[in-house]
Amino acid sequence: GEKLPQAGDMVVFNLNIEDEIKKGLEPKPDHVGIVYEVHANGALLVIEGNYNNKVALVVRDDFGLIHNFGRLP
């Protein structure tokens, strides 16, 4: 089955994907965070180190921005 993110996973985003596609560029990941918790609706509460120039908990529910996620052994 499909693996879903869990607390502690790294999640990789492409926050500029729409601009890159409009410019005809290959979308590339440009941001990373750590999943703090997964909400019942699937939204992720993520720890990010450079959100508005500070460390913050951020709800990410635009799944089109998620490039990938991974779990360290």
Side-chain angles (χ1 to χ4, degrees):
E2 184 178 334
K3 291 185 179 181
L4 300 173
Q6 297 177 10
D9 286 353
M10 295 186 334
V11 60
V12 180
F13 300 97
N14 183 333
L15 300 179
N16 298 309
I17 191 167
E18 290 179 14
D19 290 337
E20 291 173 349
I21 290 171
K22 285 179 188 175
K23 293 177 182 175
L25 300 172
E26 173 90 22
K28 293 191 169 105
D30 58 15
H31 192 72
V32 67
I34 299 170
V35 177
Y36 184 75
E37 68 183 24
V38 180
H39 294 184
N41 67 356
L44 305 176
L45 184 60
V46 180
I47 302 167
E48 299 184 19
N50 60 343
Y51 184 82
N52 292 330
N53 295 317
K54 61 183 176 184
V55 175
L57 285 172
V58 181
V59 175
R60 294 288 184 183
D61 57 4
D62 185 346
F63 304 110
L65 300 177
I66 296 175
H67 178 73
N68 207 342
F69 68 92
R71 195 164 297 138
L72 296 175

